[in-house]
Amino acid sequence: MTATTHHPTAKQPPLSARVLRRTLRGMPARRHDVGFASGLVVPAADGSPLLTDHYFPRAAGDFPTLLVRSPYGRGIPWAPMFGILFAEQGFHVVLQSSRGTGGSGGTDALWQHEAADGRAAVAWLRRQPWFTGVLGTLGPSALGYTQWALATDPPPELRAMVVQVGVHDWHGFFYPSGHPGPFALESSLVSAVGRLHYGRGVVALARAGLRLQRNLRGIARKLPLGEAYVPGFGGRVPFLDEAMARPDPEDAYWRGADAGAAGARAAVPTSLITGWHDVCLDQTLQQYDRLRRAGCETSLLVGPWTHNSAMERGWPEVFAETLGWLRAHLCDDASGLRDTRVRVHVGGRQEWRDLSDWPPVAMERRWYLDGGDGGALTAKAPEGAPPLSFRYDPADPTPSVGGLLLSRAVGPQDNAALESRADVLTFTTPPLTEPLDVLGAVAVELRVTTDTGHADVFARLCDVDERGRSVNVCDGIRRLDPATADGAPGPAEVTVAMSPTAHSFAAGHRVRLQVSGGAHPRFARNTGTGEPPSTATRLVPVVISLHHPSALVLPEAGPETEGVDGAERARSQTKKAFMPSTSDR
């Protein structure tokens, strides 16, 4: 029996999807022609109709199924990138719009229905004559959350997951440095535009994006923030209101928002894909650690990508990684798997490295902050030096330049203009006499006081070349406890954790640390009053002082990482799945 007989009204995929499919380069040869059945109605857990499209190989035989549940519609780019491409390679692809999105019934919610509706989708699959009982999931960003939600109580048919630049914790998305911490303003606004308009077509999405862009400066400058954002959307957005008003992850509103616990007890083989400048980088690495500790079969790919570019210019590598994992676990074909569990792209050297695990073996190296020579990083802590101070004024907040964002001006950027500001301190090493490879978690250990008790500290690692161009590598932000105000018993010891990285500083380059009071509008400014960000109406400047010894802590790579270029490494004749070793189980 051929797959086409299961859908009497089966047709070709939409023309727009077929045209876009032809523009995707670096894809493997097509194995099958593709059939398409659109607008199937699948009941959600509460009976709401969820619109679903089915792509399938026009060929006789049994094929495994891929479930892709999306709050961003079922059209471009999911139709060509998932529906057509994977059906061509021998998979049924079921692409479903989440409740209240893309024409599906019910009310949209960021997380409340995803686990139950995912199980309802699997129950529907069990009734289909073409379903073989072999199931995988895949998808990026919020489509990653739908996978983690299903994995909280995985159905027995679920054999593999591929989470691409994915989120598992919605509170962690809005407050990436935890609680207490600043609201991730710009990425939250951009993601809300996608959530509200992605499934309405390209024109509607473009118009909404332009409206937000026109209003972004006003949103960033006006108070209170809970009112300032409204013109950018033409109305209120309930989940933004709730996220801004409820920063505490223990608030009842966030119950169920973190599906990451699935990784701590997971048994479903899971491939994780991210980029060093992906807004979901930290969540992905957290999940990798949880899966490894649980003894779960897993792999990790980290490219030189942002959240968006991973699915654009990084798509050939992402697709190959995804296809290899799914064939290995759904089709018993391990020929597309790597020899090692981890592959990372190393900035500076611009090369791929294969590693046995993440993070690799590294030695902590401390560079102490010294006010001499215009701000230096030295191997020895200065003695008897006065504290180093700067004034942060929320009425003229320190701007954000590049970094982990969803907008286009993201990733590595020239920091020259930022570093010329009086509210940004910089500390720089002499030119390196030999390359310095940094692979792992980066942090700065500070001894801090403030004059008001209300402040954030933003820290950034940069690579300065021979021409003096300073390019950001990784960064992090930390909200200070009010006890750091004058009158407290001495400086507070504060660690600002930056996102991990894999970067090689070339000989002749310099390592630079920036310290400032924020990165706006990437993060909502600290108003200096302690009031909730959604309702604060006053702005109070703060003086932040760094006391000695304070230090930048870098993970200097160990011998395991040397000379392993994954792009050129010869592949062995026999591939092995990434099964956990006996000691991992």
Side-chain angles (χ1 to χ4, degrees):
M1 180 183 294
T2 65
T4 56
T5 61
H6 299 317
H7 291 296
T9 59
K11 53 190 176 183
Q12 281 192 319
L15 177 61
S16 59
R18 285 182 280 135
V19 170
L20 185 55
R21 161 63 185 96
R22 289 195 288 269
T23 69
L24 298 174
R25 305 301 179 188
M27 300 297 104
R30 182 178 63 187
R31 294 187 174 188
H32 306 284
D33 290 333
V34 176
F36 172 63
S38 64
L40 305 175
V41 176
V42 177
D46 71 341
S48 297
L50 303 185
L51 296 187
T52 304
D53 295 341
H54 179 201
Y55 297 80
F56 50 88
R58 288 185 178 271
D62 293 332
F63 301 98
T65 297
L66 304 178
L67 176 62
V68 183
R69 302 194 64 253
S70 166
Y72 298 136
R74 305 180 312 285
I76 305 298
W78 321 123
M81 294 175 71
F82 295 154
I84 295 178
L85 278 179
F86 285 93
E88 286 180 353
Q89 297 303 312
F91 298 89
H92 290 278
V93 182
V94 176
L95 184 53
Q96 182 178 87
S97 287
S98 297
R99 196 186 302 190
T101 71
S104 288
T107 302
D108 181 22
L110 290 182
W111 66 85
Q112 286 87 341
H113 312 309
E114 293 300 344
D117 287 355
R119 291 191 291 269
V122 175
W124 176 84
L125 285 172
R126 293 184 183 120
R127 299 193 293 272
Q128 308 313 305
W130 41 265
F131 183 60
T132 64
V134 178
L135 177 65
T137 62
L138 74 156
S141 196
L143 285 70
Y145 184 87
T146 66
Q147 299 181 69
W148 289 118
L150 183 62
T152 57
D153 184 16
E157 296 89 347
L158 184 58
R159 310 282 181 85
M161 295 165 47
V162 181
V163 182
Q164 306 154 327
V165 293
V167 62
H168 68 258
D169 177 8
W170 281 112
H171 180 275
F173 176 81
F174 291 110
Y175 295 92
S177 64
H179 178 70
F183 182 67
L185 177 59
E186 188 169 352
S187 289
S188 297
L189 297 175
V190 173
S191 71
V193 167
R195 186 85 185 193
L196 296 172
H197 298 282
Y198 217 125
R200 299 179 182 179
V202 175
V203 174
L205 179 63
R207 286 175 177 170
L210 288 172
R211 180 171 57 194
L212 176 61
Q213 190 62 38
R214 287 194 304 267
N215 286 277
L216 185 58
R217 182 179 294 273
I219 295 170
R221 292 290 180 182
K222 295 177 181 177
L223 294 174
L225 185 56
E227 300 295 333
Y229 86 87
V230 175
F233 292 85
R236 307 206 68 86
V237 180
F239 66 79
L240 283 180
D241 290 336
E242 296 286 1
M244 280 190 279
R246 301 176 186 269
D248 187 348
E250 299 303 318
D251 188 293
Y253 171 73
W254 298 105
R255 189 173 296 120
D258 184 358
R265 57 179 184 273
V268 180
T270 303
S271 172
L272 299 170
I273 300 171
T274 186
W276 292 122
H277 306 285
D278 171 25
V279 71
C280 294
L281 167 66
D282 292 328
Q283 292 204 23
T284 301
L285 296 180
Q286 182 184 50
Q287 282 301 78
Y288 176 79
D289 181 67
R290 282 175 168 171
L291 291 166
R292 291 285 290 120
R293 290 176 184 274
C296 184
E297 187 179 349
T298 186
S299 71
L300 176 67
L301 175 70
V302 190
W305 309 309
T306 67
H307 190 75
N308 293 322
S309 71
M311 306 301 289
E312 295 168 351
R313 64 183 176 87
W315 181 239
E317 290 93 345
V318 172
F319 178 80
E321 182 87 358
T322 301
L323 183 62
W325 190 259
L326 293 173
R327 279 184 174 160
H329 297 91
L330 305 184
C331 308
D332 296 322
D333 175 7
S335 61
L337 290 181
R338 300 191 300 272
D339 297 321
T340 58
R341 183 177 283 113
V342 176
R343 173 173 290 168
V344 300
H345 187 272
V346 180
R349 292 184 186 272
Q350 306 306 325
E351 69 179 19
W352 291 94
R353 291 192 195 177
D354 287 347
L355 305 172
S356 62
D357 211 347
W358 181 268
V361 175
M363 177 183 67
E364 281 193 352
R365 183 170 181 177
R366 277 175 168 73
W367 295 88
Y368 291 93
L369 282 60
D370 191 331
D373 298 324
L377 290 172
T378 60
K380 185 178 179 182
E383 296 182 4
L388 307 168
S389 301
F390 63 95
R391 181 177 184 268
Y392 175 79
D393 184 358
D396 180 25
T398 314
S400 54
V401 176
L404 279 60
L405 278 165
L406 289 180
S407 55
R408 289 289 173 177
V410 298
Q413 303 286 333
D414 186 350
N415 282 239
L418 179 66
E419 292 172 352
S420 68
R421 290 177 59 104
D423 58 359
V424 179
L425 300 184
T426 61
F427 306 89
T428 311
T429 67
L432 299 172
T433 57
E434 58 185 19
L436 173 64
D437 287 0
V438 175
L439 280 80
V442 178
V444 60
E445 298 172 348
L446 301 175
R447 301 180 73 239
V448 185
T449 57
T450 74
D451 64 345
T452 69
H454 298 291
D456 297 335
V457 175
F458 179 77
R460 166 169 279 182
L461 179 68
C462 291
D463 185 338
V464 184
D465 66 18
E466 296 90 343
R467 298 170 299 168
R469 187 170 185 262
S470 178
V471 176
N472 51 294
V473 175
C474 61
D475 53 47
I477 195 167
R478 170 78 180 266
R479 177 147 292 176
L480 302 182
D481 188 281
T484 57
D486 267 359
E493 296 184 356
V494 174
T495 297
V496 182
M498 302 188 210
S499 294
T501 191
H503 187 85
S504 180
F505 293 83
H509 284 214
R510 293 175 291 161
V511 178
R512 175 168 292 168
L513 171 69
Q514 293 177 15
V515 179
S516 63
H520 187 69
R522 175 177 165 188
F523 298 103
R525 55 189 163 178
N526 192 316
T527 60
T529 66
E531 299 172 281
S534 59
T535 57
T537 57
R538 295 184 302 120
L539 300 174
V540 177
V542 60
V543 175
I544 302 172
S545 299
L546 309 181
H547 299 253
H548 304 288
S550 292
L552 170 67
V553 185
L554 297 180
E556 188 171 344
E560 177 199 16
T561 69
E562 296 178 2
V564 185
D565 186 345
E568 298 178 359
R569 179 175 178 167
R571 297 184 178 275
S572 62
Q573 294 298 313
T574 304
K575 297 290 182 179
K576 296 182 179 180
F578 296 136
M579 294 300 294
S581 66
T582 303
S583 62
D584 293 332
R585 293 174 184 168

